[in-house]
Amino acid sequence: MTAAVRMKLLVTGGAGYIGSVCAARLVGAGHEVVVLDNLCTGHADAIPAGCRFVPGEVAEAGPLLAEGFDGVLHFAARSLVGESMTDPQRYWWGNVVASVRLLDAMTEHGIGRLVFSSTAATYGEPQSVPITEDDATRPTNPYGATKLAIDHAITSYAAAHGLAAVSLRYFNVGGAFDRHGERHTVETHLIPLVLQVALGQRDKITIFGDDWPTADGTCIRDYIHVTDLADAHELALESAQPGCHRVYNLGNGEGFSVREVIETCREVTGHPIPAEVAGRRPGDPAVLIASSERARADLGWKPERAELSVIVADAWDFARRKV
Ligand code: UDP
C-alpha cells in the first residue's frame, strides 16, 4: 500500500512480532515511523530499517510525543494469558495504566489519531460463532480484561477529547513478513511450537484436549496472516474519524482445529510431527471464529493470504531462517 498522506507515526512495541511487521509496512507505504519499545519481550534486530528507535516505556512517552506526531499505533503490551492469571499486576500496570498514561500524553500534545491492538480475548467464551463486534465481552482472564478496559478508556477519551480511534481485535495471528516473524522467548502459540518439532527443537507437540465439542475433538481457531493484519492497520489509520472509537474484528472467518493445523504443518514441512494428547489448557474456549464483515465493509479490507497453508509456509520460511 502507498500512503495517501505521509504521516509521522509512533509505533509502540515496534520491536515485537506484529508491531515490527506493521512498522515495516508503514515505512514501505512512505510514512515516517518512530518505534518506542522497552525490549522486555521485543528484539532490537526486529526493528525495521528506516525507523527511528527510542528505547523506553509507554507510560513515559510524554516527552517523546511532545515533539509532535500525526498518530500512534499502540502494540506494546503484556500478552500471555497464563502469566496474566498468576501475575495480574503486570497486566493492569503494564497494559492499562501505561495505556491511560499514553492517552493522557496524546491528549496533552494534541495527537488525534490512534490504532490500538485489541484481541479476541475481550469476548471470552463466545455465545455463538462467528463472533461479531456487537457480541458480549466477558473476558475469562486478566489479559483479555485489561485489553477490554483499555478499549473502554479509548471510547471515553474519543468522546471527550475528539480522538480518532480504532481498536482491532485480532484472532490467531500467524505467518511472517520479510525478516519479521514470531520468536517469543516463552513460546505458547500453536503454529511456532509445531514448527519447532519440525526443526528438531522439540520431540512432539502436545494437543491440549481432544474431548472438546468439535468435529475432531480439538479446539478450533481462526488464523490470520500478519501481513493482512498489517494492511488493516493502515486502512484503520486512514479512516479513523475524530470523536469516534470504532472496533473491528480481524480474522478469516474460517476455523481450523488443532489437528488440522498440525496436519497442515506436516504437509508444508514434510516432517511427521509426532503429537500427543494431554488435558485441556485452562481458559481455552472450544471455538473462536471471527466475523470480519464490519472491517470488510467499513475499511474495504480483504485478506490476501487467507489460506492456512500460506500462513504456515511463511511461518516455516521464517523459522528455518532463524536456525
Ligand atoms: N494448543 C495446543 N498445544 C500447544 C499450544 C496450543 O493444543 O502446545 C492449542 C490451544 O489449546 C488452542 C489452540 O492451540 O486451542 C491455539 O492456541 P494458541 O496459544 O496458539 O492461541 P490462542 O487461541 O490461545 O490465542
Side-chain angles (χ1 to χ4, degrees):
M1 260 186 241
T2 306
V5 180
R6 186 172 196 264
M7 290 187 248
K8 180 177 174 185
L9 301 168
L10 180 68
V11 175
T12 76
Y17 168 44
I18 299 170
S20 68
V21 172
C22 287
R25 309 269 292 191
L26 290 167
V27 170
H31 295 293
E32 179 183 349
V33 177
V34 178
V35 166
L36 174 67
D37 200 302
N38 66 6
L39 299 181
C40 75
T41 54
H43 305 273
D45 63 3
I47 297 164
C51 296
R52 173 156 68 99
F53 173 46
V54 178
E57 302 296 328
V58 169
E60 314 295 334
L64 176 60
L65 288 174
E67 66 178 54
F69 285 84
D70 298 304
V72 174
L73 294 100
H74 180 31
F75 297 92
R78 298 282 181 173
S79 62
L80 298 175
V81 169
E83 181 186 65
S84 78
M85 317 267 271
T86 55
D87 200 358
Q89 58 275 36
R90 188 172 270 187
Y91 286 72
W92 290 100
W93 283 98
N95 290 355
V96 178
V97 175
S99 297
V100 171
R101 292 192 64 170
L102 178 70
L103 287 168
D104 283 344
M106 289 178 67
T107 307
E108 184 185 346
H109 298 296
I111 297 158
R113 212 175 268 265
L114 173 70
V115 179
F116 174 61
S117 293
S118 190
T119 167
T122 53
Y123 295 108
E125 185 73 50
Q127 289 164 302
S128 59
V129 287
I131 300 169
T132 75
E133 294 84 352
D134 296 325
D135 286 356
T137 42
R138 288 182 302 217
T140 52
N141 53 65
Y143 165 62
T146 61
K147 286 287 191 167
L148 182 61
I150 299 164
D151 276 343
H152 287 314
I154 294 169
T155 302
S156 53
Y157 276 68
H161 303 301
L163 182 66
V166 178
S167 289
L168 299 175
R169 292 193 173 151
Y170 312 159
F171 281 62
N172 289 64
V173 186
F177 171 64
D178 192 19
R179 58 187 183 83
H180 307 283
E182 225 168 334
R183 50 182 170 128
H184 301 114
T185 316
V186 182
E187 190 53 77
T188 61
H189 291 124
L190 181 63
I191 293 174
L193 286 174
V194 175
L195 295 179
Q196 285 177 7
V197 181
L199 285 171
Q201 294 172 344
R202 60 178 68 231
D203 297 340
K204 56 181 184 283
I205 184 73
T206 304
I207 297 173
F208 295 143
D210 68 350
D211 55 352
W212 296 92
T214 61
D216 70 11
T218 65
C219 286
I220 292 177
R221 294 289 181 271
D222 183 339
Y223 295 86
I224 173 175
H225 199 290
V226 68
T227 56
D228 286 330
L229 198 74
D231 287 349
H233 286 74
E234 291 180 56
L235 294 167
L237 185 72
E238 284 171 8
S239 72
Q241 295 298 323
C244 187
H245 176 213
R246 285 178 300 160
V247 175
Y248 295 106
N249 290 342
L250 295 178
N252 282 313
E254 195 184 352
F256 293 92
S257 72
V258 173
R259 283 200 194 282
E260 286 172 327
V261 171
I262 297 170
E263 195 48 45
T264 303
C265 292
R266 289 185 180 125
E267 285 160 17
V268 167
T269 64
H271 189 283
I273 307 181
E276 84 174 3
V277 177
R280 294 181 177 191
R281 186 171 67 176
D284 267 345
V287 181
L288 286 178
I289 299 173
S291 165
S292 300
E293 291 311 312
R294 192 182 284 180
R296 288 169 191 259
D298 288 8
L299 303 177
W301 178 69
K302 188 174 167 297
E304 303 287 341
R305 299 178 80 72
E307 298 87 27
L308 183 61
S309 58
V310 172
I311 294 171
V312 168
D314 286 356
W316 178 233
D317 282 348
F318 175 77
R320 275 188 301 177
R321 270 207 239 175
K322 287 285 152 204
V323 177

